[in-house]
Amino acid sequence: MPSRQQVLDFIANAADEVGKREIAKAFGLKGAEKIELKALLKDMAEEGLIDGKRTAYHRMGGVPKVTVLRVVGVEDGLPIAVPDKWEADEAGAPPRLTVVEQRVAQKKGPQMRGVGALKPGDRILSRTEETPEGWLAFPMKKLPSDAEAIMGVVEIDGAGKGWLAPIDKRERHAVQISDLGGAVEGQLVMAEPAGRSPRAGVRVVAVLGDPLAPKSFSLIAIHKHGLPHIFSSEVIAEAELSARQPLSQEQREDLTHLPIVAIDPVDARDHDDAIWAEPDGEGGWRAVVAIADVSFYVRPGGALDREARKRGNSVYFPDRVVPMLPEVLSADVCSLKAGAPRAAMACHLTLDAEGRMTSFRFTRAIVRIAEVIAYEEAQRRIDAGEAEAHLVNLWGAWGALTKARVARDPLELDLPERRVVLDEMGRVAQVAVRERLDAHRVVEDFMIAANVAAAKALESKTAPVVYRIHEPPNREKLIALKDYLATFERKLSLGQVITPALFNRMLKGIDDEVEKALIMEAVLRSQTQAYYGPRNAGHFGLGLGSYAHFTSPIRRYSDLLVHRALVDAFHLEQPAPSGDLPALSGLHGRDRSDLARICDAISTAERRAMVAERETVDRYVAAWLSMHVGEMFDCRITGVQRFGLFATIIGLGGDGLVPVSVLGDERFHHDEKGQRMVGESTGTVFAIGDRVRLRLAEANALTGALKFEPEDGQGRIEKRGSVPLPDKAGLKRRGSHLVGHRGRPANIRHQGKRR
């Protein structure tokens, strides 16, 4: 008798819909075995794996008879829902169920009555049923939404009552805990509403541990954003099996003789890419960009592929990496380590003297990386004149690519990036600005060239492309930028064609470095967010007509899809058949037909990762600053709201609030259009871009929130452009204490002077 998984695999790979007869024939079952098969299929139907009739519903992931659904829209007045824990796999789009209260008998046949109280985003426990009208869901209970889940720290007041102090900086009030669920004071927990009324409070559903322990900040982000971070035994088993698959020496190009090098961060654990170049003898260059051949090991349709798609990308925190692939692949077999033969997708480029790409081709290859070099070390060798010939050649080819980049004139925003350095105990040792070297630019320009080649190669074969799309700024954002520039007495004409070169010329004309940095940030805020999509709309920021991500398949699912498309389009090596692994190495047919949905999913996963990474860095910065509460910092005003000012520590990037209550006893008016705060009696003005000397009053490591205040009697403000103004007089601080919610003293303190 076949196992459940064998039956499901047969159904998934069948060209047509199948039933009991086809399954019996495929597995050679006769007589009493057919009776056993019938019982097996009945059990599988009750488990929701198949529909229990002729065709198998495994293609759509299965709909258990009782399951949790999420409402995604309304059609013809009826709510539409999908399985809440749907995991995208080879089955395509999730099943869509119509949510109804009951089926009402009418003369014209059964009619469906919808549930009017439900709205998109609601979660419901439902009974499901397949009918001639399609799948129906009958709600049994409305469940708390993900948005209602609260993460926070348990506090106990003097009366012994438990309170949940949220770790989200947007939440300002504690909530009473009706059920501690075994949690004790000071622990980080997950909670959900205890009832429909806010007065019911919350109940603890999970205890996460010490919120200030090393590595807790990344755990907060993992739980808050629901990042998948644990691989199932099934996924790990498939990854280990895949890692043992032999490479075909005959079907792969042998590039082991080339001194290909990987230039990466000093602490990198996985190495996606490596590069090589040499002069072509005619003033141009031949180059190879070797990328880890992840598509050979991660086959479409398997558990490993489903998990990678669900994650969408690796997430990088200061203290850990949440990888897209299990470590046996991400940090070992797929990683381009020095001295070991590795499977690679090789992008061969030919460049002319001006850096223009004259030809390209893609092969599956075997490489042996000559060396893995840190950015800093590669730069040191070049600067000291100690670089080997292959490094010198890379810088030479980069010189040509630089000419092409200058001619293209992409958007140049050289904004600082924060880097959190931890000690051996996982504590913050330093917060610094990441140094930007030519070595970084060398690698970036080679990767951009390979990404362009991948997009153009697939277009030449009219093959599916997962484009990396960056659309031009929309009119609303341009108007906001125009108004902001007007405060600097600078103009932006909206009647002209908006190009990256326009912004670059604007920035080059600014001599004052402070003003330039502010306008850079404003230009960045005016940009649209890049995303993935199957229809090309170009990349505005890079000034490119066609662009796809190809160079990081270990950490981005989008790149893996591009690799699979290249395998198909150029008929590259397919892995040897294996009974335990999916045989296909290219794009799955269902992926081709549903590429837009997949692009939406991985774009959403990318945004989720970006927010989680940024919030975690904010928490680490706040933890480091908590040891400097009471000290003075040079800050820049970055935002003005009715309730106060937002300020950033210059050179560090810690963002915090200056409440209007600490600006003095006079009344301040908020000038929304001018983005400034104006004192009613003294005429004191606080505007975006002003340089302010502020005292750090509070640093909350759990939320990442900072609070500032002017120094008593010495608050000084310098207008944009570093033009000093007289010290402000009469700036009196209203008393402020670091207190817990509802006026109770906070139980969780940070080092430093209490204000």
Side-chain angles (χ1 to χ4, degrees), residues 301-583:
L304 179 59
D305 181 50
R306 292 196 298 273
E307 181 68 20
R309 182 180 299 188
K310 180 173 68 175
R311 296 183 179 219
N313 47 254
S314 298
V315 187
Y316 293 86
F317 298 114
D319 60 344
R320 75 178 73 216
V321 176
V322 179
M324 185 179 78
L325 302 173
E327 190 169 345
V328 65
L329 295 179
S330 63
D332 188 7
V333 175
C334 290
S335 185
L336 301 181
K337 294 183 174 182
R342 286 290 185 264
M345 186 76 79
C347 173
H348 295 261
L349 301 173
T350 303
L351 309 172
D352 66 14
E354 300 302 313
R356 293 184 293 260
M357 195 184 309
T358 58
S359 68
F360 52 78
R361 65 185 177 92
F362 290 85
T363 65
R364 270 187 152 159
I366 296 179
V367 299
R368 182 177 285 108
I369 304 304
E371 186 179 9
V372 175
I373 316 174
Y375 286 112
E376 295 79 6
E377 173 60 16
Q379 190 68 55
R380 187 199 66 78
R381 293 184 197 177
I382 290 291
D383 293 342
E386 301 173 1
E388 300 84 346
H390 55 263
L391 271 185
V392 174
N393 284 339
L394 286 177
W395 258 251
W398 174 59
L401 288 171
T402 300
K403 294 178 183 178
R405 175 167 47 81
V406 171
R408 196 173 72 243
D409 207 3
L411 189 59
E412 298 283 357
L413 297 178
D414 193 11
L415 293 168
E417 180 184 353
R418 289 179 296 175
R419 181 171 62 95
V420 176
V421 180
L422 305 180
D423 62 19
E424 65 279 359
M425 300 297 293
R427 298 168 302 199
V428 183
Q430 182 185 11
V431 178
V433 175
R434 193 179 300 276
E435 187 178 8
R436 178 81 167 160
L437 305 171
D438 282 348
H440 294 96
R441 297 180 176 91
V442 170
V443 175
E444 286 176 7
D445 282 342
F446 271 101
M447 297 306 112
I448 290 172
N451 288 337
V452 171
K456 291 186 176 296
L458 292 173
E459 289 173 345
S460 71
K461 296 290 186 178
T462 63
V465 185
V466 175
Y467 289 101
R468 181 62 169 177
I469 300 168
H470 181 223
E471 297 182 11
N474 59 43
R475 185 168 180 80
E476 182 181 351
K477 289 190 174 184
L478 288 174
I479 291 174
L481 178 61
K482 178 184 177 181
D483 292 341
Y484 179 69
L485 292 174
T487 67
F488 291 85
E489 298 183 351
R490 295 185 178 275
K491 295 181 179 180
L492 174 64
S493 174
L494 301 185
Q496 59 188 316
V497 176
I498 303 298
T499 65
L502 174 67
F503 294 124
N504 292 339
R505 288 195 299 270
M506 178 197 305
L507 293 168
K508 287 177 182 176
I510 303 174
D511 296 325
D512 184 86
E513 291 301 319
V514 174
E515 181 178 337
K516 188 174 184 178
L518 291 168
I519 294 182
M520 272 189 185
E521 292 177 358
V523 170
L524 179 63
R525 288 195 298 269
S526 74
Q527 301 302 302
T528 59
Q529 191 166 33
Y531 63 94
Y532 297 104
R535 294 180 179 83
N536 191 16
H539 198 294
F540 175 81
L542 293 176
L544 294 168
S546 298
Y547 194 66
H549 275 167
F550 159 78
T551 55
S552 296
I554 289 178
R555 62 184 181 90
R556 289 191 305 230
Y557 194 80
S558 57
D559 304 51
L560 177 56
L561 291 172
V562 170
H563 279 229
R564 288 173 177 171
L566 288 167
V567 168
D568 286 341
F570 291 91
H571 308 291
L572 303 182
E573 175 209 4
Q574 294 285 0
S578 171
D580 299 309
L581 289 173

Side-chain angles (χ1 to χ4, degrees), residues 512 514 636 691 718-724:
D512 184 86
V514 174
R636 185 74 59 186
R691 181 172 178 142
E718 295 177 8
K719 301 305 291 180
R720 291 182 302 220
S722 299
V723 179

Side-chain angles (χ1 to χ4, degrees), residues 540-724:
F540 175 81
L542 293 176
L544 294 168
S546 298
Y547 194 66
H549 275 167
F550 159 78
T551 55
S552 296
I554 289 178
R555 62 184 181 90
R556 289 191 305 230
Y557 194 80
S558 57
D559 304 51
L560 177 56
L561 291 172
V562 170
H563 279 229
R564 288 173 177 171
L566 288 167
V567 168
D568 286 341
F570 291 91
H571 308 291
L572 303 182
E573 175 209 4
Q574 294 285 0
S578 171
D580 299 309
L581 289 173
L584 189 66
S585 180
L587 273 180
H588 198 292
R590 296 185 184 93
D591 288 347
R592 291 172 178 270
S593 62
D594 211 7
L595 203 55
R597 180 184 62 82
I598 298 171
C599 288
D600 288 344
I602 58 180
S603 296
T604 299
E606 178 191 42
R607 289 190 287 271
R608 175 183 66 184
M610 289 172 60
V611 173
E613 290 170 351
R614 184 177 64 245
E615 288 181 355
T616 301
V617 171
D618 285 345
R619 289 188 173 95
Y620 271 109
V621 170
W624 185 76
L625 285 171
S626 68
M627 297 180 289
H628 301 275
V629 169
E631 296 180 13
M632 302 298 297
F633 291 91
D634 289 322
C635 302
R636 185 74 59 186
I637 296 176
T638 57
V640 180
Q641 295 293 333
R642 188 177 303 276
F643 51 82
L645 313 169
F646 289 102
T648 298
I649 298 177
I650 296 174
L652 181 63
D655 300 312
L657 176 67
V658 186
V660 68
S661 60
V662 304
L663 296 180
D665 293 331
E666 67 177 312
R667 182 182 180 86
F668 278 83
H669 294 287
H670 177 219
D671 178 3
E672 185 174 0
K673 186 174 182 180
Q675 301 187 61
R676 59 183 187 167
M677 197 84 75
V678 182
E680 186 177 73
S681 57
T682 65
T684 300
V685 176
F686 295 93
I688 285 183
D690 289 345
R691 181 172 178 142
V692 192
R693 183 78 172 164
L694 297 173
R695 187 197 311 277
L696 179 63
E698 181 180 334
N700 190 329
L702 294 180
T703 65
L706 307 177
K707 284 188 179 180
F708 297 105
E709 61 188 8
E711 186 176 13
D712 288 354
Q714 300 180 33
R716 189 180 78 251
I717 188 169
E718 295 177 8
K719 301 305 291 180
R720 291 182 302 220
S722 299
V723 179

Side-chain angles (χ1 to χ4, degrees), residues 184-250:
V184 299
E185 184 174 13
Q187 285 186 322
L188 182 68
V189 300
M190 288 289 291
E192 65 180 18
R196 294 185 178 181
S197 170
R199 295 182 179 179
V202 298
R203 57 171 172 266
V204 174
V205 294
V207 178
L208 306 179
D210 182 358
L212 295 178
K215 299 190 176 184
S216 283
F217 297 144
S218 55
L219 283 176
I220 290 174
I222 288 170
H223 285 279
K224 177 182 175 182
H225 296 283
L227 297 174
H229 65 292
I230 298 175
F231 290 107
S232 68
S233 57
E234 180 187 13
V235 170
I236 292 177
E238 184 177 323
E240 292 175 344
L241 178 61
S242 181
R244 295 195 294 269
Q245 295 300 296
L247 301 178
S248 171
Q249 302 283 344
E250 295 77 19

